[in-house]
Each structure stands twice: as C-alpha cells, then as structure tokens.
Amino acid sequence: LDTSDNTEMVDISVGLGLLLAVKDETELDLVKKSSVLGNKILKRGFVPKLEEVIENEKNVTHEALAEEIEEIFSDPKKSKLNVQPDDVQSAYFPIVQSGGDYDLRVSAVSNNKKMKFDIITISLGSRYQNYCSNVARTFLVDPPKAVSDTYETLIDVHEACLAVMKPGNTLKSVYAAAVKQLKKSDREDLVECLPKNLGFAIGVYFREGNLTLSKKNNVTFKPGMTFNLCIGFSGVKLGDSDKSAVNEKSAVSSTHERIMIVFDAIS
C-alpha cells in the first residue's frame, strides 16, 4: 500500500468508534455485570477497609490502599464475589485521593502520601469478560456546611445531566445541562470547577476518545450506547471559616465519627 500511487489512506477510527458504541443485548448485559462487579468491590472491599482505617486511626498511604483494592481483582473471593477470576480484571490502577490535592481525570494516580481524614475520593474501573465499567465515590468526614451544600448542588447537576442523555440529543447537551443547572441553582461560580468533559462512551474500550461528553461534541445519543457519566467539582473555593473547619477535622482524628458517601459516577 505504501508504494502504490493510487491508494488513498483515510482514518476510520471515528466511524469504528461510532459503530462499536452501539451495543447488542449480549454486550449490554456484560456492561451491566461489569458495573455490578465494580460496585460490589467498592462496597465489600474499599468501604470496610476505609472504615477500619478511620476508626483505628491507621496511617496508610493512598497507594497502599489502592493496592489492596487492586488485589481483589486478582482474587475476587476476598470480597465474596462468585465470579471466575479469569473473567475479571482491573481497567486501571485504583485512584485514591485525600488531603486537598485532587485530580478528576482517569489518568490520575494514587500517590504515596498518607491519607487525610477529610475529603476522600476513590475511583476504580472494572473489566468483566473484557467489557469495562467505572465507579467513583467521595467520602466526606464531618464536612463543613459549605461542602455539604456543594454536594447537594452536585446531585442536582447529576440528575439534570441524566435527564438529557436520551436518543436524539447531542452529547454536548450534557455539558450544557450541567451549566444550566448551576446557573439555576445560583452557583455559576462552580462552572469553572467542572472538568473539560463529563464522561465518555465505554465498553470494550474503557474510554472512546471521540465520544466524550464535552461542550462541543455534536454526535447524537443512540439506543444501545453506554456511557460513564462522571460529574465532579475540583478547585472549589472555601471561605476562611470553612477552611479552618476542614483543617481542624483533618488534624484531630477524634472528631471523625461518621462518613458520608457523596459523589457518584455511573455507567
């Protein structure tokens, strides 16, 4: 082909991506099972471990905790999962973050800093028979009111985005819905805290780069497509009193009496 003067080379990756984005019933079932797998690993593996760490005031790094979650994928029986080990894989190394330094991208890494008992995030991706899913959660330890209020806004934005993810609508309508809801909630200040895109198509490929939920993507939703919707805020500004509350709770472990799940990313 390289030596032929009459051959035109074209990029068909976009077309293939659109073709593979629409799943048949068998594929949809595998994506659902992959999602259930990730959810169970989160609930049975990560949450109990996190509770143990906080209740016993253990010093543990983000990386060490992520390694323990990663091990569950190689031995599902650790979380009492009735699946064949050969059918289960991790889509990426789990991401655990805390202490005010957060990165919402799936390319983020768990560093070797010690966990702070303030705002803790976990993100993990699962593969079941090669089909991917993703789940993320944020755990707030005795958050100040400003943080709780921001979470309530996040829930409203999440619901608004889900409402427009229907066949015939464009992918960019998701981002537009998020901005519209923030303005409606009188929280336009959080628009700049949104990531560049709010998710992506998912399936055999963990992330389909041409099918992101960005503000400019004109591709339309079609029946059978599966997406990872990931709504979050980063770099949220806090008042001095709220900063003080967060710092005090991070320094005094005896104040950590409860954990609240507040962030949701679903497939």
Side-chain angles (χ1 to χ4, degrees), residues 33-52:
K33 289 180 178 178
S34 179
S35 300
V36 171
L37 171 68
N39 187 50
K40 288 185 176 181
I41 289 178
L42 179 80
K43 288 184 176 181
R44 299 180 185 180
F46 179 76
V47 173
K49 183 61 181 179
L50 179 62
E51 291 176 343
E52 177 188 349

Side-chain angles (χ1 to χ4, degrees), residues 70-169:
E70 179 76 2
E71 290 177 359
I72 298 176
F73 285 98
S74 58
D75 187 5
K77 292 182 179 179
K78 287 186 176 181
S79 289
K80 299 179 181 179
L81 299 176
N82 187 24
V83 293
Q84 295 298 320
D86 292 342
D87 290 338
V88 177
Q89 289 179 305
S90 173
Y92 59 86
F93 189 70
I95 305 168
V96 181
Q97 302 175 84
S98 70
D101 186 14
Y102 306 97
D103 187 344
L104 298 183
R105 296 173 298 178
V106 293
S107 59
V109 296
S110 298
N111 58 39
N112 59 3
K113 294 182 179 180
K114 291 183 179 179
M115 177 179 288
K116 301 291 185 180
F117 302 153
D118 47 15
I119 302 174
I120 303 165
T121 68
I122 171 68
S123 179
L124 60 90
S126 304
R127 289 182 185 273
Y128 181 77
Q129 293 186 14
N130 294 322
Y131 280 80
C132 302
S133 64
N134 192 55
V135 60
R137 295 288 187 275
T138 297
F139 301 82
L140 300 185
V141 182
D142 288 334
K145 186 177 185 303
V147 176
S148 298
D149 290 344
T150 299
Y151 164 64
E152 295 298 331
T153 301
L154 181 66
I155 293 297
D156 292 338
V157 172
H158 186 271
E159 293 300 319
C161 289
L162 278 176
V164 300
M165 294 179 70
K166 298 178 180 179
N169 288 344

